[in-house]
């Protein structure tokens, strides 16, 4: 990832020069415009520009994976809108191979692929694509889109007649959904569709009416009502909702089904009107058959991609090159090892002699270091003894505050520096205040109760312990270890 960012930074510098990367700069600008319109709920409808952008970014997809995936999504969505599902599927498949980490755009890509499969009546494949989409939205922490995709998966189960599985998935959505009326409406549509597949027509009507209660007009629920009423023989209601479908949708599938009901159940029309409706349905069926052929081709592309065996020839080539290079390296290593072997034997004798001399020097050095360490330890103990003697003398003094010139802070610091190896200066360098320095000095001298220190420093008896703990924390130690810490500072 860091390598990709570095390369992209270099590419950006090249873009600023306006040289050979001008086309790339223009394509990135188009992607930005398309994203902006998308955020506003609009579609970038310049197919020529999007096609050029998609093709140009294809060559840079290794470095601009996210932008390439966005270009694929916008171009594929436009191709779908222009009823070209085959090319749309090709573009969406390219997006899935982009290695982007933009899970939101991947979720939308898989959702579109699922919709194409659904329209081609490939309900299990559609379910699989919706499942991939749901996982992407979940990875993107987009819970609402995730639940919408769970509903889409439930609808595909309904199309397969798996009512119990559909209801089980819908129940998961209803447990977690945040009262979204549109999602609730589509949940009821899925349940109604599942009931239609198992011929429970009263339940179809019940759930379809619930859906209309949350979202009206909804063509899918109106069609379910028309179909449900048609199956139970209530033709007036069936034709009423069929007419609503005709007025509220552009879906060839829904229009075809609504026209079927109007052809067979509308008793209010004469023969001429019925024939006209039948002719309209025939036209819709022809268009639907043409579109279904394109959808089938699109699904075949997806199926081929899913079952495509990876081409490992490039990997075998790389392995062959590595093995050849490795063999050459090993042969060179053996030759070089033999060449230097004789030199090493000669060097070993010389180094052995040097080692003997060095060992004798080290023994002498260790002896000297031991003497120095012993001397340093004695000095350390003597200094510590002198400090403890000074502390003891001050503790036994009848007027310790006078001896320390306690009221004159500067003079007191000079006295403390003299007796305690510049302790006052050391404490001041550690950013302690005057009162904090005074408390530390009392701690070093020792023998004072908390109440006595509080009286000397004009602190309350209750706060002296917390003050002492605060200063110890500031010094990087604890109250219990504070005197030992300060003594170490004195003898450093």
């Amino acid at each position: 990832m860091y390598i990709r960012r570095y390369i992209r930074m270099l590419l950006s510098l090249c873009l600023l020069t306006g040289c050979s990367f001008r086309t790339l700069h223009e394509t990135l600008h188009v992607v930005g415009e398309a994203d902006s319109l998308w955020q506003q709920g609009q579609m970038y409808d310049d197919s020529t520009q999007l096609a050029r952008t998609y093709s140009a970014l294809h060559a840079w997809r290794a470095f601009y994976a996210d932008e390439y995936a966005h270009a694929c999504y916008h171009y594929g969505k436009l191709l779908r809108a222009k009823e070209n599902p085959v090319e749309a599927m090709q573009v969406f498949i390219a997006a899935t191979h982009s290695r982007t980490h933009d899970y939101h755009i991947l979720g939308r890509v898989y959702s579109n692929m699922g919709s194409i499969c659904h329209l081609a009546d490939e309900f299990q494949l559609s379910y699989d694509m919706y499942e991939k989409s749901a996982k992407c939205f979940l990875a993107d922490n987009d819970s609402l889109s995730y639940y919408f995709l769970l509903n889409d998966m439930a609808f595909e189960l309904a199309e397969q007649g798996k009512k119990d599985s559909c209801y089980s998935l819908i129940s998961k959505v209803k447990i977690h959904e945040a009262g979204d009326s549109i999602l609730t409406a589509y949940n009821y549509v899925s349940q109604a569709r599942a009931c239609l597949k198992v011929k429970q027509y009263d339940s179809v009507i019940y759930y379809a009416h619930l859906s209309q209660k949350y979202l009206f007009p909804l063509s899918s629920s109106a069609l379910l009502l028309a179909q449900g009423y048609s199956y139970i023989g209530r033709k007036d209601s069936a034709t009423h909702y069929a007419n609503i479908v005709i007025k509220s949708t552009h879906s060839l599938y829904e229009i075809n089904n609504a026209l079927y009901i109007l052809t067979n159940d509308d008793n209010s029309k004469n023969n001429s009107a019925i024939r006209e409706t039948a002719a309209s349905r025939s036209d819709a069926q022809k268009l639907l058959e043409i579109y279904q052929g394109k959808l089938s081709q699109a699904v075949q592309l997806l199926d081929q991609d899913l079952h495509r065996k990876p081409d490992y020839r490039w990997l075998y080539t790389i392995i062959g090159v590595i093995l050849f290079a490795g063999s050459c390296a090993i042969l060179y290593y053996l030759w070089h090892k033999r060449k230097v072997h004789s030199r090493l034997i000669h060097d070993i004798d010389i180094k052995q002699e040097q080692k003997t001399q060095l060992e004798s020097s080290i023994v002498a050095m260790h002896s000297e270091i031991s003497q120095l360490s012993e001397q340093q330890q004695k000095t350390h103990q003597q200094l510590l003894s002198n400090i403890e003697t000074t502390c003891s003398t001050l503790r036994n003094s009848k007027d310790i505050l006078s001896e320390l010139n306690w009221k004159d802070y500067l003079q007191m610091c000079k006295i403390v520096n003299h007796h305690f190896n510049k302790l006052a200066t050391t404490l001041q360098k550690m950013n302690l205040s005057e009162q904090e320095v005074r408390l530390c000095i009392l701690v070093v001298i020792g023998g004072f109760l908390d109440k006595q220190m509080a009286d000397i420093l004009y602190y309350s008896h209750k706060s002296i312990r917390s003050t002492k703990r605060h200063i110890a924390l500031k010094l990087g130690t604890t109250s219990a270890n504070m005197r030992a810490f300060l003594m170490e500072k004195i003898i450093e």
Side-chain angles (χ1 to χ4, degrees):
M1 180 178 288
Y2 293 108
I3 295 174
R4 181 187 292 178
R5 288 180 180 175
Y6 178 71
I7 295 175
R8 286 181 61 170
M9 182 180 70
L10 292 179
L11 292 175
S12 299
L13 292 174
C14 294
L15 288 173
L16 293 174
T17 63
C19 297
S20 57
F21 295 98
R22 185 169 300 150
T23 302
L24 177 59
H25 178 69
E26 291 173 357
T27 58
L28 294 176
H29 179 69
V30 171
V31 172
E33 285 186 352
D35 283 340
S36 179
L37 289 171
W38 173 40
Q39 296 297 329
Q40 299 171 28
Q42 303 176 37
M43 183 185 292
Y44 190 94
D45 57 0
D46 190 337
S47 58
T48 304
Q49 278 281 30
L50 279 178
R52 189 179 300 136
T53 298
Y54 162 70
S55 299
L57 278 176
H58 183 77
W60 297 95
R61 64 190 182 281
F63 310 112
Y64 290 89
D66 293 347
E67 290 79 359
Y68 177 64
H70 278 250
C72 291
Y73 169 68
H74 294 306
Y75 187 37
K77 189 171 63 170
L78 183 61
L79 289 169
R80 277 198 67 194
K82 293 182 178 293
E83 298 186 355
N84 192 345
V86 178
E87 290 189 24
M89 183 63 81
Q90 288 176 325
V91 174
F92 288 140
I93 290 172
T96 64
H97 295 299
S98 64
R99 297 183 180 179
T100 180
H101 293 288
D102 189 336
Y103 293 108
H104 184 83
I105 207 71
L106 269 183
R108 290 186 172 271
V109 166
Y110 280 120
S111 177
N112 275 269
M113 294 167 74
S115 297
I116 293 173
C117 295
H118 171 81
L119 293 172
D121 294 337
E122 294 288 342
F123 303 126
Q124 182 56 50
L125 188 55
S126 178
Y127 177 92
D128 295 339
M129 293 300 104
Y130 285 144
E131 186 176 30
K132 288 178 179 287
S133 178
K135 290 179 180 178
C136 288
F137 284 126
L138 188 62
D140 192 50
N141 296 319
D142 187 346
S143 58
L144 183 59
S145 296
Y146 170 70
Y147 293 129
F148 266 103
L149 263 298
L150 287 186
N151 177 74
D152 289 338
M153 291 162 61
F155 192 85
E156 298 310 309
L157 292 172
E159 290 285 14
Q160 298 173 69
K162 300 176 181 179
K163 179 188 171 186
D164 293 340
S165 298
C166 171
Y167 272 44
S168 176
L169 201 52
I170 289 295
S171 65
K172 293 180 181 179
V173 177
K174 288 184 176 180
I175 289 172
H176 298 285
E177 68 182 17
D180 188 278
S181 59
I182 298 177
L183 179 57
T184 303
Y186 279 106
N187 288 164
Y188 287 127
V189 168
S190 297
Q191 290 177 285
R193 187 64 181 172
C195 292
L196 184 67
K197 285 292 183 177
V198 295
K199 300 181 180 181
Q200 296 175 353
Y201 303 122
D202 289 338
S203 296
V204 172
I205 295 169
Y206 171 73
Y207 286 120
H209 273 302
L210 285 177
S211 176
Q212 293 246 317
K213 177 182 176 182
Y214 285 93
L215 184 61
F216 181 84
L218 184 59
S219 60
S220 54
S221 59
L223 178 60
L224 287 164
L225 284 169
Q227 291 171 323
Y229 281 123
S230 178
Y231 279 118
I232 65 174
R234 292 179 56 179
K235 296 185 178 183
D236 290 345
S237 297
T239 55
H240 168 73
Y241 285 106
N243 281 313
I244 292 177
V245 173
I246 296 296
K247 295 176 182 178
S248 60
T249 186
H250 296 288
S251 168
L252 284 174
Y253 169 80
E254 293 180 346
I255 291 172
N256 179 57
N257 282 280
L259 287 173
Y260 174 82
I261 293 172
L262 292 174
T263 302
N264 294 280
D265 292 353
D266 194 351
N267 295 327
S268 65
K269 292 182 179 180
N270 56 32
N271 291 336
S272 176
I274 291 174
R275 283 194 295 271
E276 184 178 345
T277 302
S280 297
R281 181 169 181 263
S282 178
D283 293 339
Q285 282 182 314
K286 289 178 182 178
L287 292 173
L288 194 57
E289 287 174 4
I290 295 171
Y291 192 52
Q292 282 288 339
K294 295 179 181 178
L295 291 169
S296 296
Q297 293 178 35
V299 170
Q300 287 177 4
L301 287 176
L302 176 58
D303 189 64
Q304 290 171 6
D305 181 71
L306 292 175
H307 296 89
R308 177 172 55 97
K309 293 182 179 179
D311 184 2
Y312 290 118
R313 287 178 296 179
W314 62 273
L315 180 60
Y316 299 147
T317 302
I318 292 175
I319 292 173
V321 171
I322 292 173
L323 290 175
F324 176 76
S327 300
C328 293
I330 291 171
L331 291 173
Y332 173 78
Y333 171 76
L334 293 174
W335 171 81
H336 181 70
K337 186 176 181 181
R338 289 175 181 175
K339 182 179 179 180
V340 300
H341 183 67
S342 57
R343 187 191 308 166
L344 288 174
I345 293 174
H346 176 69
D347 291 342
I348 286 172
D349 294 336
I350 297 175
K351 289 181 179 179
Q352 188 64 40
E353 183 179 350
Q354 293 175 343
K355 180 182 176 182
T356 303
Q357 295 175 355
L358 184 61
E359 284 176 349
S360 60
S361 300
I362 290 173
V363 169
M365 186 183 299
H366 279 177
S367 177
E368 185 178 350
I369 290 173
S370 297
Q371 293 175 1
L372 290 173
S373 177
E374 186 177 343
Q375 182 64 36
Q376 184 180 14
Q377 188 174 5
K378 288 181 180 179
T379 304
H380 180 89
Q381 291 295 331
Q382 183 62 44
L383 181 58
L384 188 61
S385 176
N386 293 340
I387 296 297
E388 289 292 356
T389 301
T390 303
C391 291
S392 176
T393 302
L394 289 172
R395 282 196 298 270
N396 296 326
S397 172
K398 294 181 180 180
D399 192 359
I400 184 175
L401 297 183
S402 296
E403 289 194 26
L404 291 174
N405 206 347
W406 188 258
K407 293 183 180 180
D408 188 341
Y409 177 68
L410 294 178
Q411 189 62 33
M412 180 203 70
C413 288
K414 290 181 180 179
I415 295 170
V416 169
N417 282 338
H418 174 73
H419 289 294
F420 296 104
N421 195 22
K422 299 184 178 180
L423 174 61
T425 302
T426 301
L427 293 174
Q428 288 168 349
K429 289 180 180 179
M430 297 176 76
N431 296 322
L432 296 187
S433 66
E434 178 181 330
Q435 283 292 86
E436 291 171 339
V437 171
R438 289 178 183 273
L439 188 144
C440 290
I441 292 169
L442 294 178
V443 169
V444 169
I445 293 171
F448 293 98
L449 299 174
D450 288 344
K451 181 178 180 303
Q452 292 175 312
M453 285 196 289
D455 291 339
I456 294 171
L457 297 171
Y458 301 106
Y459 284 132
S460 70
H461 298 168
K462 294 181 180 180
S463 67
I464 187 65
R465 289 190 178 183
S466 62
T467 302
K468 186 178 179 183
R469 187 164 52 249
H470 171 73
I471 296 172
L473 184 63
K474 196 171 180 181
L475 292 171
T477 184
T478 62
S479 298
N481 198 44
M482 190 172 176
R483 186 173 188 272
F485 175 84
L486 292 171
M487 292 296 284
E488 287 294 328
K489 288 292 180 183
I490 293 172
I491 63 177
E492 280 183 354

